[in-house]
Protein backbone atom coordinates (compact mmCIF):
# COMPACT_ATOMS: atom_id res chain seq x y z
CA UNK A 1 0.00 0.00 0.00
CA UNK A 2 1.27 3.46 -0.93
CA UNK A 3 1.99 6.09 1.71
CA UNK A 4 0.68 4.26 4.80
CA UNK A 5 1.94 6.91 7.23
CA UNK A 6 0.38 9.79 5.30
CA UNK A 7 -2.87 7.82 4.90
CA UNK A 8 -2.98 7.34 8.68
CA UNK A 9 -2.21 11.01 9.32
CA UNK A 10 -4.93 12.24 6.95
CA UNK A 11 -7.43 9.75 8.39
CA UNK A 12 -6.71 10.88 11.97
CA UNK A 13 -6.89 14.56 11.04
CA UNK A 14 -10.38 14.03 9.60
CA UNK A 15 -11.58 13.19 13.13
CA UNK A 16 -10.69 16.75 14.15
CA UNK A 17 -13.30 18.23 11.80
CA UNK A 18 -16.42 16.86 13.55
CA UNK A 19 -14.64 17.15 16.92
CA UNK A 20 -14.31 20.89 16.32
CA UNK A 21 -17.84 21.13 14.89
CA UNK A 22 -16.55 22.23 11.50
CA UNK A 23 -18.61 19.76 9.42
CA UNK A 24 -22.04 18.16 9.20
CA UNK A 25 -22.70 14.62 7.93
CA UNK A 26 -20.19 13.95 5.09
CA UNK A 27 -19.24 17.54 4.17
CA UNK A 28 -15.66 18.72 4.36
CA UNK A 29 -12.39 17.11 3.34
CA UNK A 30 -8.66 17.07 3.96
CA UNK A 31 -5.79 16.24 1.65
CA UNK A 32 -2.04 16.03 2.12
CA UNK A 33 0.80 15.91 -0.39
CA UNK A 34 3.75 13.59 0.06
CA UNK A 35 6.79 15.81 -0.55
CA UNK A 36 8.90 12.92 -1.88
CA UNK A 37 6.57 11.39 -4.47
CA UNK A 38 4.26 14.37 -5.06
CA UNK A 39 1.28 12.04 -4.59
CA UNK A 40 -1.77 13.29 -2.72
CA UNK A 41 -3.86 11.47 -0.09
CA UNK A 42 -7.48 12.66 0.03
CA UNK A 43 -10.80 11.70 1.59
CA UNK A 44 -13.11 9.44 -0.42
CA UNK A 45 -16.36 11.04 -1.58
CA UNK A 46 -19.50 10.70 0.50
CA UNK A 47 -18.17 8.59 3.38
CA UNK A 48 -19.30 9.42 6.89
CA UNK A 49 -16.56 10.46 9.26
CA UNK A 50 -16.97 7.40 11.49
CA UNK A 51 -16.53 5.17 8.42
CA UNK A 52 -13.17 6.61 7.46
CA UNK A 53 -10.20 4.31 7.76
CA UNK A 54 -6.69 4.76 6.49
CA UNK A 55 -7.34 2.03 3.91
CA UNK A 56 -10.33 4.01 2.59
CA UNK A 57 -8.22 7.06 1.76
CA UNK A 58 -7.62 7.63 -1.93
CA UNK A 59 -4.20 8.36 -3.42
CA UNK A 60 -4.20 10.57 -6.51
CA UNK A 61 -1.51 12.17 -8.61
CA UNK A 62 -1.19 15.94 -8.90
CA UNK A 63 -3.60 15.94 -11.86
CA UNK A 64 -6.26 14.15 -9.81
CA UNK A 65 -5.91 10.72 -11.41
CA UNK A 66 -6.50 7.89 -8.92
CA UNK A 67 -3.26 6.02 -8.29
CA UNK A 68 -4.49 3.77 -5.49
CA UNK A 69 -7.86 3.27 -3.81
CA UNK A 70 -11.15 1.51 -4.41
CA UNK A 71 -13.35 4.51 -3.69
CA UNK A 72 -14.08 7.66 -5.65
CA UNK A 73 -12.06 10.62 -4.30
CA UNK A 74 -13.70 13.76 -2.90
CA UNK A 75 -15.66 15.89 -5.38
CA UNK A 76 -13.21 18.69 -4.53
CA UNK A 77 -10.17 16.65 -5.63
CA UNK A 78 -9.48 18.61 -8.82
CA UNK A 79 -9.52 21.87 -6.89
CA UNK A 80 -7.13 20.48 -4.26
CA UNK A 81 -4.84 19.33 -7.08
CA UNK A 82 -4.96 22.71 -8.78
CA UNK A 83 -3.83 24.34 -5.52
CA UNK A 84 -0.95 21.84 -5.17
CA UNK A 85 0.17 22.40 -8.77
CA UNK A 86 0.19 26.16 -8.38
CA UNK A 87 1.64 26.27 -4.86
CA UNK A 88 4.70 24.05 -4.38
CA UNK A 89 4.91 25.32 -0.77
CA UNK A 90 1.54 23.80 0.13
CA UNK A 91 1.48 20.27 1.57
CA UNK A 92 -2.03 20.28 3.07
CA UNK A 93 -5.49 21.53 2.03
CA UNK A 94 -8.67 21.54 4.12
CA UNK A 95 -12.25 22.37 3.15
CA UNK A 96 -15.21 22.87 5.48
CA UNK A 97 -18.63 24.47 5.55
CA UNK A 98 -18.09 25.57 9.16
CA UNK A 99 -21.11 27.56 10.29
CA UNK A 100 -19.92 31.03 11.26
CA UNK A 101 -17.29 31.38 8.57
CA UNK A 102 -19.72 30.13 5.93
CA UNK A 103 -22.25 32.73 7.07
CA UNK A 104 -19.73 35.37 5.95
CA UNK A 105 -19.28 33.44 2.68
CA UNK A 106 -23.03 33.44 2.04
CA UNK A 107 -22.84 37.24 1.86
CA UNK A 108 -19.45 37.27 0.08
CA UNK A 109 -18.01 39.11 3.05
CA UNK A 110 -14.37 38.77 3.98
CA UNK A 111 -13.65 38.37 7.70
CA UNK A 112 -12.11 41.66 8.86
CA UNK A 113 -8.99 41.69 11.01
CA UNK A 114 -10.44 42.96 14.26
CA UNK A 115 -8.81 40.48 16.69
CA UNK A 116 -5.15 40.07 17.62
CA UNK A 117 -5.60 36.31 17.10
CA UNK A 118 -6.45 37.08 13.46
CA UNK A 119 -3.39 39.27 13.02
CA UNK A 120 -1.32 36.42 14.50
CA UNK A 121 -2.70 33.55 12.46
CA UNK A 122 -3.84 35.20 9.25
CA UNK A 123 -1.74 38.36 9.00
CA UNK A 124 -4.85 40.35 8.13
CA UNK A 125 -8.29 39.89 6.64
CA UNK A 126 -9.49 36.44 5.58
CA UNK A 127 -10.51 37.14 1.97
CA UNK A 128 -13.66 35.91 0.26
CA UNK A 129 -13.45 34.69 -3.32
CA UNK A 130 -16.19 34.66 -5.92
CA UNK A 131 -18.67 31.95 -6.77
CA UNK A 132 -17.33 28.79 -8.39
CA UNK A 133 -19.05 25.53 -9.26
CA UNK A 134 -18.07 22.25 -7.58
CA UNK A 135 -16.56 19.35 -9.49
CA UNK A 136 -13.83 20.87 -11.65
CA UNK A 137 -10.86 22.97 -10.63
CA UNK A 138 -12.67 26.34 -10.68
CA UNK A 139 -12.69 26.54 -6.88
CA UNK A 140 -8.96 25.84 -6.80
CA UNK A 141 -8.35 28.64 -9.29
CA UNK A 142 -10.26 31.10 -7.13
CA UNK A 143 -8.51 29.93 -3.95
CA UNK A 144 -5.07 30.41 -5.52
CA UNK A 145 -6.02 33.79 -6.96
CA UNK A 146 -7.27 35.10 -3.61
CA UNK A 147 -4.41 33.76 -1.52
CA UNK A 148 -1.73 35.12 -3.88
CA UNK A 149 -2.55 38.60 -2.61
CA UNK A 150 -2.80 37.64 1.06
CA UNK A 151 -0.78 36.30 3.99
CA UNK A 152 -3.84 34.38 5.11
CA UNK A 153 -3.76 30.58 4.89
CA UNK A 154 -7.57 30.67 4.72
CA UNK A 155 -10.03 31.91 2.12
CA UNK A 156 -13.81 31.90 1.98
CA UNK A 157 -15.62 30.94 -1.20
CA UNK A 158 -18.83 32.83 -1.95
CA UNK A 159 -22.01 30.84 -1.13
CA UNK A 160 -19.89 27.84 -0.20
CA UNK A 161 -17.42 27.64 2.69
CA UNK A 162 -13.80 27.68 3.80
CA UNK A 163 -10.60 26.48 2.15
CA UNK A 164 -7.31 26.51 4.04
CA UNK A 165 -3.74 25.65 3.07
CA UNK A 166 -0.67 24.78 5.11
CA UNK A 167 2.87 23.50 5.11
CA UNK A 168 1.29 20.32 6.46
CA UNK A 169 -2.24 18.96 6.58
CA UNK A 170 -2.26 19.60 10.33
CA UNK A 171 -1.35 23.26 9.78
CA UNK A 172 -4.25 23.55 7.31
CA UNK A 173 -6.59 21.95 9.88
CA UNK A 174 -5.38 24.43 12.48
CA UNK A 175 -6.15 27.29 10.08
CA UNK A 176 -9.66 25.87 9.53
CA UNK A 177 -10.27 25.67 13.29
CA UNK A 178 -8.97 29.21 13.83
CA UNK A 179 -11.03 30.55 10.92
CA UNK A 180 -14.23 29.29 12.51
CA UNK A 181 -13.16 30.55 15.94
CA UNK A 182 -12.53 34.12 14.81
CA UNK A 183 -15.63 34.12 12.57
CA UNK A 184 -17.79 33.15 15.56
CA UNK A 185 -16.21 35.79 17.80
CA UNK A 186 -16.73 38.51 15.19
CA UNK A 187 -20.32 37.38 14.66
CA UNK A 188 -20.91 37.77 18.41
CA UNK A 189 -19.09 41.12 18.45
CA UNK A 190 -21.42 42.42 15.75
CA UNK A 191 -24.38 41.82 18.04
CA UNK A 192 -22.85 44.49 20.27
CA UNK A 193 -21.84 46.98 17.59
CA UNK A 194 -19.26 47.41 14.85
CA UNK A 195 -15.89 45.83 15.73
CA UNK A 196 -12.86 48.13 15.69
CA UNK A 197 -10.22 47.50 13.03
CA UNK A 198 -6.56 46.93 13.96
CA UNK A 199 -4.17 49.25 12.11
CA UNK A 200 -2.05 47.67 9.34
CA UNK A 201 1.09 48.63 11.28
CA UNK A 202 -0.08 46.79 14.37
CA UNK A 203 -1.20 43.79 12.31
CA UNK A 204 2.34 43.59 10.88
CA UNK A 205 3.93 43.72 14.34
CA UNK A 206 1.58 41.05 15.73
CA UNK A 207 2.08 38.78 12.71
CA UNK A 208 5.87 39.05 12.82
CA UNK A 209 5.95 38.32 16.56
CA UNK A 210 3.64 35.34 16.29
CA UNK A 211 5.26 33.76 13.27
CA UNK A 212 8.88 34.36 14.29
CA UNK A 213 9.03 34.50 18.09
CA UNK A 214 5.95 32.90 19.64
CA UNK A 215 5.92 29.30 20.83
CA UNK A 216 8.63 26.71 21.36
CA UNK A 217 10.15 26.90 17.91
CA UNK A 218 11.12 30.10 16.09
CA UNK A 219 9.30 29.12 12.89
CA UNK A 220 5.76 29.54 11.68
CA UNK A 221 3.60 26.49 11.15
CA UNK A 222 1.24 28.33 8.86
CA UNK A 223 2.13 29.86 5.55
CA UNK A 224 3.22 33.43 5.10
ZN1 LIG B 1 -17.95 22.27 -0.05
Amino acid sequence: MLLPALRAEVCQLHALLPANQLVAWTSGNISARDPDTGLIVIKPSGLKYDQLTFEAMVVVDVDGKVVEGDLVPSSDTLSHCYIYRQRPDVLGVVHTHSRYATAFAALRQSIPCVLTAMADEFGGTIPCGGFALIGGDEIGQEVVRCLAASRSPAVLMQNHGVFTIGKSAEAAVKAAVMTEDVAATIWYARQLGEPLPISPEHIDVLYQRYTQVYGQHPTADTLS
Side-chain angles (χ1 to χ4, degrees), residues 26 31 72 93 105 108 141 184 224:
T26 64
S31 70
V72 175
V93 176
R108 197 178 177 176
Q141 292 181 35
S224 59

Side-chain angles (χ1 to χ4, degrees), residues 9-223:
E9 179 185 336
V10 172
C11 182
Q12 288 164 7
L13 287 170
H14 272 96
L16 296 178
L17 301 185
N20 285 279
Q21 298 186 304
L22 302 185
V23 293
W25 204 244
T26 64
S27 72
N29 46 66
I30 300 172
S31 70
R33 168 159 57 185
D34 175 50
D36 296 327
T37 63
L39 296 174
I40 294 154
V41 175
I42 192 164
K43 178 175 174 275
S45 180
L47 252 67
K48 293 182 204 164
Y49 281 85
D50 60 5
Q51 296 174 328
L52 291 180
T53 61
F54 84 102
E55 296 98 334
M57 296 296 142
V58 184
V59 179
V60 299
D61 68 15
V62 78
D63 294 315
K65 182 169 168 287
V66 174
V67 175
E68 186 179 62
D70 298 327
L71 299 167
V72 175
S74 163
S75 55
D76 293 315
T77 297
L78 293 179
S79 283
H80 284 241
C81 290
Y82 183 89
I83 296 167
Y84 287 121
R85 288 199 303 275
Q86 298 297 315
R87 293 286 302 262
D89 56 323
V90 170
L91 294 177
V93 176
V94 173
H95 171 52
T96 79
H97 303 159
S98 64
R99 179 168 297 134
Y100 286 96
T102 301
F104 284 80
L107 280 70
R108 197 178 177 176
Q109 287 188 7
S110 58
I111 304 178
C113 189
V114 295
L115 302 168
T116 58
M118 279 195 73
D120 288 349
E121 292 284 346
F122 303 97
T125 295
I126 298 174
C128 185
F131 183 82
L133 287 173
I134 298 164
D137 66 5
E138 291 89 344
I139 292 171
Q141 292 181 35
E142 189 65 0
V143 167
V144 168
R145 186 186 71 77
C146 290
L147 293 184
S150 175
R151 291 189 290 210
S152 171
V155 59
L156 308 180
M157 290 295 298
Q158 179 188 329
N159 303 118
H160 189 166
V162 181
F163 280 81
T164 63
I165 58 174
K167 290 177 178 172
S168 67
E170 184 180 34
V173 171
K174 178 189 176 189
V177 171
M178 297 305 292
T179 296
E180 182 63 1
D181 186 55
V182 297
T185 302
I186 293 168
W187 189 92
Y188 280 108
R190 282 180 167 169
Q191 312 314 301
L192 304 171
E194 189 53 33
L196 303 173
I198 302 174
S199 74
E201 295 77 18
H202 285 153
I203 290 172
D204 284 347
V205 171
L206 289 162
Y207 183 72
Q208 295 303 329
R209 181 200 67 88
Y210 185 76
T211 55
Q212 293 176 18
V213 180
Y214 174 79
Q216 302 302 313
H217 304 287
T219 54
D221 61 358
T222 53
L223 294 167

